[in-house]
Amino acid sequence: MQDAILSSESSMQDTKNVVVSTVVEARSLSLRFQTNDGHVDALSDIDLTIESGNFVSFIGPSGCGKTTLLRVIADLEQPTGGSIEVNGVSAEQARLSRAYGYVFQAASLYPWRTIANNVALPLEIMGLDRKERKARIKKNLELVNLAGFEKKYPWQLSGGMQQRASIARALAVEPDLLLMDEPFGALDEIVRDHLNEQLLKLWDKTNKTVVFVTHSIPEAVFLSTHIVVMSPRPGRIIDIIESNLPRDRGLDIRETPDFLSIAQRVREGLRQGHSYED
Amino acid sequence: MNALTNMGSTEKGLSLIAAVASLLSLLLYLPDTNKEAVYGLALPLFCIIGLLTAFALYRYRQARDHKLLGGVAVGLISFFGAWALLQSLGITETASGKVGPSFWLAAIAAWALAWLGVERLAAVSVHNKWLQGLLRVTIPVLFGVWLLVIWELATRGFEVPQVLLPSPSAIGARFVSSTAILWVDFKQTFLKAVLIGYAMGCTSGFVVALLIDRSSFLKRGLLPIGNLVSALPVIGVAPIMVMWFGFDWPSKAAVVVIMTFFPMLVNTVAGLSASDTMQNDLMKTYAANYWQSLFKLRLPQAMPFIFNALKINSTLALIGAIVAEFFGTPIVGMGFRISTEVGRMNVDMVWAEIAVAAIAGSVFYGLITLIERMSTFWHPSFR
């Protein structure tokens, strides 16, 4: 009896190990935009593997293709060369099977819907019933500290609250993969720190895979298990830095030598990318 | 600060005008020997009150605490002036005399006081919701009534021939005495041709816009032609519609359909492409199908455009139906009445029909605006 329980436990352990799989796999990926005056290499020769449970940040100066790379993963942009697989299938199939939740730079809430109904939007499209929708709205609005604002309209809320609502909307889909494009870029530092902490807790609790675009070094180092440093013209990966910081970290970790040394490495990577232009 | 001083100078000027005009009117009134038979006593009484008011306003124009009270008082005094002017105009007309400079000076004084009243009321800022609503109605009503008063005074005082421009009172009298005819015409033109044509034109424009949106062939082929046609004066097809659909209201409804179709088409197509890239991308990340993103994103986003077309079309439909009746109709209808009564020199009847059209058009437009406000409450222009 005891044995049986043990073995079932160990088999659960096994399945958990099996779950650690490749979520995003990009092989010599490139994307070239055709414009009226020639072409722009937005992405060039990108090789990237993201394992499940990772928190991966793309960092780089504007125009380095970090958003484009995220959009390729989300199948909002089609690569012109190389291959991209999400969850072992093509990016398009992954999108059609609603494999990810996407948080845009702006909240992009629909002004004619209340906060609750904005969160309900993807759930309606997925065809969930009323009861399930209500439960998920409640749960996710609580998660981003917006309980009590269900009946408000987006334009009655501050920018930070709107962005939190848009995160709740992405989370309500309950995706295993969360794609976030500079979600806190327009917010002030205090709100940003707070949301970073919440996001980290959420990630730690749910074991989701997060791909996060930012141009802030402290934000990238604080959040990530892997930091992908990118550089512009053509958009390419300079360095991938694995962080040895513990999964469970508080804001004061930013003062530790470990943190500072990782930040230093990121900064050097960014500088190296820039030296091309001088 | 600048606005305040400007307003101050306007008030200063107006109260000066009112004071000088009423004083001169009094001075000219006194030497007139036959004054009571010509003007009555109301006019000099108004001149005295007007003079005092204007003086008080000029003297205490800096006291801005009682704008509401002051505005209402000045407005009422100006209405008393209007009444006095009309009264003396009636006396003069029965005595078959002509109004003189004293009368016109009093009219200028009353008009200046009315302007002052509106000016004061427009500057009032109250926080009571009911009072705000009342003010929003009062100011345009005051303005509109004074427009009618000036019209009345000018047409009767200058003895403008009826054929050129009848006075509002004559139009009103004609309106009241021929409500039966007006109602029959209204039924024929508005309730049948306008409403039916409007509904058909707007619906078909909307449906075709949805079809165009789905097919790039139609979008590239039909839409430029639609833009072209919506710029044409389609009212020119009215005689052809009469040949196709006969003399009764269906031919007028057809004209209305043609006139309203293209504005709705062009606006709806524009509205359907009004959603921004991020909103569309959002729908894409949810793997939403065409109908889902149409109903949940693009149609709500297009609503302001669609209502715009509905509002434009409400006036176009009325114009279309009335003018189409000029080209052949059974002996009923607003357009028919206008064209025949003009021929018989019954211009007051023409104006009565115009008044009906104006009232119907405004109510129609107002209703659409009301629905618009309720359904696009979220739009930055309303919230």
Side-chain angles (χ1 to χ4, degrees):
Chain A
M1 200 61 196
Q2 197 82 6
D3 263 348
I5 289 168
L6 265 180
S7 71
S8 85
E9 224 165 47
S10 70
S11 79
M12 269 179 78
Q13 205 70 40
D14 278 345
T15 46
K16 209 174 180 182
N17 283 336
V18 171
V19 168
V20 176
S21 59
T22 305
V23 177
V24 177
E25 174 99 68
R27 287 284 155 264
S28 44
L29 192 72
S30 62
L31 197 158
R32 174 175 283 189
F33 286 120
Q34 294 295 342
T35 58
N36 284 339
D37 42 335
H39 55 76
V40 178
D41 281 308
L43 295 174
S44 151
D45 207 25
I46 301 281
D47 282 298
L48 182 68
T49 306
I50 298 174
E51 306 271 297
S52 76
N54 283 359
F55 197 123
V56 180
S57 288
F58 298 164
I59 190 167
S62 40
C64 72
K66 51 193 193 301
T67 295
T68 311
L69 182 52
L70 196 73
R71 287 174 64 84
V72 169
I73 297 172
D75 188 41
L76 295 175
E77 220 70 77
Q78 276 68 47
T80 46
S83 70
I84 174 100
E85 280 191 352
V86 178
N87 288 339
V89 293
S90 74
E92 190 188 0
Q93 278 171 294
R95 176 175 67 81
L96 292 177
S97 64
R98 300 180 177 115
Y100 62 83
Y102 198 106
V103 180
F104 290 89
Q105 282 178 18
S108 190
L109 300 166
Y110 293 176
W112 52 87
R113 283 176 171 251
T114 59
I115 292 300
N117 283 338
N118 263 294
V119 178
L121 176 72
L123 311 179
E124 284 168 18
I125 290 167
M126 288 160 74
L128 298 183
D129 63 48
R130 215 183 153 73
K131 212 179 129 197
E132 176 71 17
R133 289 206 305 255
K134 261 187 130 169
R136 287 203 192 180
I137 291 166
K138 190 170 158 21
K139 183 177 137 194
N140 287 291
L141 281 181
E142 273 169 11
L143 206 64
V144 295
N145 276 336
L146 276 181
F149 290 93
E150 288 85 353
K151 291 202 167 67
K152 292 270 184 220
Y153 284 91
W155 30 274
Q156 297 169 322
L157 264 53
S158 72
M161 287 164 111
Q162 289 182 21
Q163 195 58 343
R164 264 146 61 195
S166 87
I167 292 167
R169 181 179 59 188
L171 292 175
V173 182
E174 297 189 350
D176 290 326
L177 174 59
L178 204 52
L179 305 177
M180 307 178 92
D181 183 6
E182 293 187 39
F184 312 135
L187 308 181
D188 68 71
E189 190 117 9
I190 297 163
V191 177
R192 192 180 185 147
D193 279 352
H194 179 65
L195 289 180
N196 276 340
E197 227 177 351
Q198 278 182 314
L199 176 63
L200 208 54
K201 266 191 204 137
L202 181 84
W203 164 73
D204 192 30
K205 229 174 3 190
T206 56
N207 207 38
K208 289 184 194 302
T209 314
V210 182
V211 185
F212 191 96
V213 169
T214 179
H215 51 228
S216 154
I217 297 174
E219 189 175 58
V221 179
F222 176 63
L223 291 170
S224 320
T225 59
H226 298 74
I227 301 157
V228 178
V229 182
M230 297 180 71
S231 132
R233 284 173 290 273
R236 65 202 184 285
I237 294 175
I238 299 270
D239 193 6
I240 299 181
I241 300 158
E242 225 182 308
S243 167
N244 51 5
L245 299 175
R247 265 184 86 95
D248 180 20
R249 33 187 120 146
L251 280 169
D252 32 343
I253 202 167
R254 292 182 297 186
E255 317 298 330
T256 62
D258 278 352
F259 184 96
L260 294 174
S261 76
I262 297 169
Q264 184 57 30
R265 223 182 119 190
V266 174
R267 192 165 287 119
E268 267 162 22
L270 287 173
R271 202 170 294 146
Q272 187 192 329
H274 264 288
S275 64
Y276 276 81
E277 286 167 59
D278 300 332
Chain B
M1 199 61 222
N2 216 352
L4 267 178
T5 41
N6 280 341
M7 207 174 63
S9 69
T10 313
E11 283 197 8
K12 198 170 147 184
L14 283 171
S15 41
L16 267 178
I17 290 174
V20 170
S22 45
L23 185 65
L24 281 178
S25 173
L26 261 182
L27 290 177
L28 288 173
Y29 175 85
L30 288 173
D32 202 326
T33 45
N34 199 15
K35 53 205 169 208
E36 265 171 57
V38 179
Y39 293 127
L41 284 173
L43 201 65
L45 182 62
F46 163 71
C47 285
I48 293 166
I49 297 173
L51 183 58
L52 292 176
T53 318
F55 179 72
L57 280 173
Y58 183 74
R59 182 76 183 76
Y60 301 109
R61 67 180 184 281
Q62 305 300 344
R64 309 200 158 273
D65 303 337
H66 301 292
K67 275 203 277 285
L68 184 61
L69 211 65
V72 170
V74 176
L76 286 177
I77 289 166
S78 82
F79 276 135
F80 170 68
W83 177 80
L85 285 161
L86 291 173
Q87 187 82 0
S88 57
L89 194 59
I91 294 169
T92 314
E93 275 169 354
T94 38
S96 62
K98 263 187 117 137
V99 289
S102 176
F103 176 86
W104 292 115
L105 283 165
I108 288 171
W111 161 80
L113 285 177
W115 187 340
L116 264 170
V118 171
E119 189 89 17
R120 286 239 148 180
L121 286 179
V124 167
S125 61
V126 282
H127 301 295
N128 186 319
K129 217 175 167 190
W130 286 107
L131 217 55
Q132 260 174 355
L134 197 68
L135 265 181
R136 224 181 10 240
V137 179
T138 312
I139 294 172
V141 164
L142 195 77
F143 204 93
V145 168
W146 255 97
L147 223 59
L148 289 179
V149 167
I150 291 173
W151 180 354
E152 179 83 26
L153 293 180
T155 45
R156 280 170 62 189
F158 288 123
E159 291 173 349
V160 177
Q162 279 271 313
V163 184
L164 284 186
L165 186 65
S167 65
S169 58
I171 296 168
R174 179 56 94 126
F175 193 105
V176 173
S177 66
S178 35
T179 39
I181 297 175
L182 290 172
W183 169 246
V184 174
D185 290 345
F186 175 75
K187 236 172 28 184
Q188 169 78 8
T189 305
F190 194 85
L191 297 186
K192 288 180 185 162
V194 170
L195 285 188
I196 293 171
Y198 178 81
M200 283 170 66
C202 289
T203 315
S204 52
F206 179 75
V207 170
V208 173
L210 289 185
L211 291 177
I212 282 184
D213 179 65
R214 282 225 83 169
S215 129
S216 69
F217 163 69
L218 285 179
K219 200 167 194 164
R220 290 173 155 215
L222 190 60
L223 195 59
I225 294 174
N227 281 317
L228 190 76
V229 175
S230 65
L232 291 177
V234 249
I235 192 68
V237 299
I240 299 167
M241 290 301 118
V242 172
M243 287 200 328
W244 286 5
F245 297 104
F247 275 111
D248 213 348
W249 64 267
S251 61
K252 283 69 196 177
V255 172
V256 174
V257 168
I258 296 175
M259 284 188 82
T260 55
F261 175 81
F262 289 103
M264 182 49 109
L265 174 76
V266 173
N267 270 288
T268 308
V269 169
L272 284 174
S273 48
S275 45
D276 62 46
T277 331
M278 209 180 272
Q279 288 174 320
N280 286 324
D281 280 348
L282 192 66
M283 278 299 179
K284 215 174 159 192
T285 68
Y286 299 147
N289 62 31
Y290 171 81
W291 295 106
Q292 284 169 331
S293 57
L294 181 70
F295 282 114
K296 293 194 189 298
L297 167 63
R298 300 175 63 220
L299 274 184
Q301 192 77 297
M303 274 306 158
F305 290 80
I306 292 169
F307 273 107
N308 209 11
L310 285 174
K311 286 195 287 190
I312 295 169
N313 281 346
S314 72
T315 43
L316 279 182
L318 202 56
I319 296 169
I322 289 174
V323 177
E325 283 180 359
F326 294 175
F327 298 97
T329 176
I331 51 166
V332 65
M334 294 159 79
F336 163 78
R337 197 76 55 200
I338 288 173
S339 59
T340 49
E341 296 295 328
V342 147
R344 296 163 62 188
M345 298 284 179
N346 285 333
V347 186
D348 49 351
M349 187 61 188
V350 175
W351 280 97
E353 290 282 359
I354 290 172
V356 171
I359 294 167
S362 310
V363 170
F364 194 19
Y365 191 92
L367 273 177
I368 297 166
T369 311
L370 209 66
I371 300 169
E372 180 188 27
R373 282 199 174 224
M374 286 190 289
S375 53
T376 58
F377 62 92
W378 49 270
H379 197 260
S381 58
F382 294 127
R383 68 195 184 206

